Amino acid sequence: MFSRNLSVSKQVALRIVLLGLIIATFVFSFLIPIQIRLDRKHAIEHADLVADAISSAYNVLDRPEELDSISQLLIDAAGSSDVAWVRIVGHDNEILYGTDPEYMKRDESYLQGEKQIGAMLYVTRKIAVSHSPVQAIEVAMDLSIIQAESKLLFAKLIFAVLALLALLALFIGRMTHKLVGKRLQKLVTAMGNAEKGSFLVRAQVDRIDEVGLLAIAFNKLLAALTRMQVKEIEWEHDLQEAHEQLSIKDQLERANKSLKRRIKAQELLTEASQHLGGVLNKNTLVQRLVDLLKNKLGWSDFGIFLLTPESTLRMQIASGFLDTPFFEHLEFQFGEGVTGIAAESKKPLFIPDIEKDTRVLFKDRPELPRGSTLAIPMLYQERVIGVMTFFRQEPSAFDEQDINMLDTLGAFIS
């Protein structure tokens, strides 16, 4: 609905305005009909006052020579701008007096009550006094004049609401930009510098909230990358000495393999900082993590378990042999199996040989590989929110470097 190019502060301001307009429309849709009924009620009450005044005058002044005074009284009574005309009806529907010559004839039969035609409200009141020369008094009220004041009032209210919404949106937009937008921009700048290879840069942490926690996690990742970079330099130096001292080919090959794995681990964490750092959607984050694990490490057998509201660990992402109907709804309690034990201890758990360890469940399943497994708990503020469990076909396939790398990755993902 809103453009993706808009900043967070502008999107929040627009949503505030939209919500305010919806609420104002809803409120005015109730107030306007109520005000229309109130205007009609006030018009009837005004007409009743005019009718009572005229009826009292006719009952008191009954001499013919006072007709001029009574007529003047009628004109004064009908002088309000919302009274269109007044007509006095005698017995046998005879028109005794009227303020408008066009309404001096009465052909229809007498009916007491109110009748509205367009903007005109016709109010007829029967005189219950037996000796009164007046049978009824008819007053025509112009509702357009009465409602004009209400329309002006609602126009002022609408203008005030729009002005208030504009000020509120401006205030909230500026506050959002200050609390979120500017701080996220600084974090993006730090990520850009890290992408260029400046791992010594650190994001500013000015307060502990969602943005601050993201900056702290980013700084921890950069610190881990820096340590790995230092270790890589040391390893390169050791490898150089090994090339000078060792002459056995298989030792050199193992050293090269280990170096490649270190480089691949560094690439994985670097790409994690680039491709996962700005993602706040859980599903997108998990999918990108799966792609990184498959493409960079070449590991296809793993599962990602997330904590449920019932405090169990339920598999959300399955890859390799776990992506089968038998393991589709796999779920562990804390302390149950390799995954549950890692969650309960809040520490990585490495099983070198699946067949020889009693903590491994489902050994009777042919899908389960006969190699090694590694469970990495994902912690957020010292609280377990999930576990990443990996399987390899070879025994003792994970070393300390793999555990440290995956532990760092799990902390960043958390």
Side-chain angles (χ1 to χ4, degrees), residues 179-180 183-184 187 204 207 209-216:
L179 293 176
V180 179
R183 298 166 67 202
L184 284 179
L187 184 57
Q204 181 182 1
R207 57 174 61 90
D209 54 11
E210 286 81 356
V211 179
L213 292 174
L214 181 61
I216 292 174

Side-chain angles (χ1 to χ4, degrees), residues 48-66:
D48 287 340
L49 290 175
V50 172
D52 290 342
I54 295 174
S55 173
S56 299
Y58 261 86
N59 290 333
V60 173
L61 304 174
D62 54 356
R63 289 179 294 178
E65 59 270 16
E66 295 175 334

Side-chain angles (χ1 to χ4, degrees), residues 127-410:
I127 306 303
V129 181
S130 59
H131 63 276
S132 175
V134 179
Q135 180 189 12
I137 298 176
E138 296 175 322
V139 181
M141 305 297 294
D142 192 346
L143 291 178
S144 62
I145 297 176
I146 300 174
Q147 293 173 350
E149 297 179 359
S150 298
K151 291 179 180 178
L152 179 60
L153 175 61
F154 277 110
K156 293 179 179 179
L157 286 176
I158 291 173
F159 176 78
V161 169
L162 292 178
L164 180 61
L165 284 177
L167 291 175
L168 184 61
L170 179 62
F171 174 75
I172 293 179
R174 291 180 65 87
M175 291 299 296
T176 304
H177 177 68
K178 180 179 179 180
L179 293 176
V180 179
K182 291 177 65 176
R183 298 166 67 202
L184 284 179
Q185 186 59 44
K186 292 179 181 179
L187 184 57
V188 170
T189 302
M191 289 180 176
N193 294 332
E195 184 179 0
K196 297 175 182 178
S198 301
F199 293 142
L200 295 179
V201 70
R202 293 295 182 267
Q204 181 182 1
V205 182
D206 51 0
R207 57 174 61 90
I208 304 301
D209 54 11
E210 286 81 356
V211 179
L213 292 174
L214 181 61
I216 292 174
F218 177 69
N219 290 339
K220 289 182 179 179
L221 176 64
L222 289 182
L225 291 174
T226 302
R227 289 194 296 270
M228 291 190 66
Q229 214 174 25
V230 173
K231 289 181 179 179
E232 181 184 355
I233 295 174
E234 295 175 352
W235 178 257
E236 288 177 352
H237 178 70
D238 294 341
L239 183 60
Q240 184 178 0
E241 291 183 354
H243 273 294
E244 295 174 354
Q245 297 176 2
L246 297 178
S247 60
I248 303 176
K249 182 179 179 181
D250 59 339
Q251 292 180 335
L252 292 175
E253 289 178 351
R254 286 197 298 269
N256 284 326
K257 276 184 181 180
S258 180
L259 176 60
K260 290 180 180 178
R261 289 180 63 192
R262 289 177 180 270
I263 294 174
K264 185 176 293 186
Q266 182 182 354
E267 290 178 352
L268 174 65
L269 293 177
T270 301
E271 289 201 18
S273 67
Q274 296 174 1
H275 298 293
L276 306 181
V279 179
L280 298 180
N281 180 273
K282 183 180 72 174
N283 294 330
T284 304
L285 185 69
V286 172
Q287 187 58 49
R288 290 191 181 183
L289 172 63
V290 171
D291 295 337
L292 282 174
L293 292 174
K294 287 184 177 180
N295 296 334
K296 286 298 176 184
L297 298 181
W299 298 349
S300 59
D301 296 324
F302 59 90
I304 298 178
F305 298 79
L306 296 181
L307 188 67
T308 67
E310 295 79 20
S311 297
T312 62
L313 296 165
R314 183 178 300 159
M315 186 163 62
Q316 300 293 330
I317 294 296
S319 178
F321 78 91
L322 290 173
D323 191 13
T324 57
F326 177 79
F327 298 103
E328 183 177 0
H329 302 292
L330 190 58
E331 187 171 346
F332 294 103
Q333 302 287 340
F334 273 63
E336 181 183 11
V338 177
T339 301
I341 294 173
E344 187 177 57
S345 65
K346 299 182 180 179
K347 295 180 180 179
L349 178 59
F350 172 46
I351 305 298
D353 194 336
I354 292 177
E355 290 184 332
K356 297 179 180 180
D357 202 301
T358 58
R359 292 172 292 182
V360 180
L361 305 179
F362 307 113
K363 289 183 180 181
D364 57 335
R365 298 298 303 180
E367 300 96 334
L368 190 70
R370 298 297 183 262
S372 53
T373 181
L374 173 63
I376 303 292
M378 296 187 293
L379 304 179
Y380 176 73
Q381 295 183 350
E382 300 302 323
R383 183 173 62 89
V384 176
I385 65 170
V387 176
M388 298 186 296
T389 304
F390 302 88
F391 295 85
R392 300 286 298 278
Q393 297 290 339
E394 309 82 17
S396 302
F398 301 93
D399 58 14
E400 185 178 359
Q401 178 184 341
D402 294 328
I403 296 174
N404 292 335
M405 181 266 296
L406 292 174
D407 194 26
T408 302
L409 181 63

Side-chain angles (χ1 to χ4, degrees), residues 36 39-41 43-44 47 78 80-87 99-100 102-103 113-124 138-147 151:
I36 291 175
D39 290 340
R40 191 175 188 276
K41 180 181 178 182
I44 294 173
S80 178
S81 60
D82 53 354
V83 179
W85 51 263
V86 177
R87 188 166 62 177
T99 59
D100 193 331
E102 294 184 6
Y103 298 95
E114 300 87 26
K115 179 174 66 174
Q116 182 175 347
I117 301 177
M120 296 299 294
L121 177 64
Y122 302 96
V123 181
T124 304
E138 296 175 322
V139 181
M141 305 297 294
D142 192 346
L143 291 178
S144 62
I145 297 176
I146 300 174
Q147 293 173 350
K151 291 179 180 178

Side-chain angles (χ1 to χ4, degrees), residues 24-39 147 150-151 153-155 157-158:
T25 302
F26 180 77
V27 172
F28 281 117
S29 65
F30 281 95
L31 291 181
I32 291 176
I34 293 175
Q35 186 60 42
I36 291 175
R37 289 193 293 269
L38 288 176
D39 290 340
Q147 293 173 350
S150 298
K151 291 179 180 178
L153 175 61
F154 277 110
L157 286 176
I158 291 173

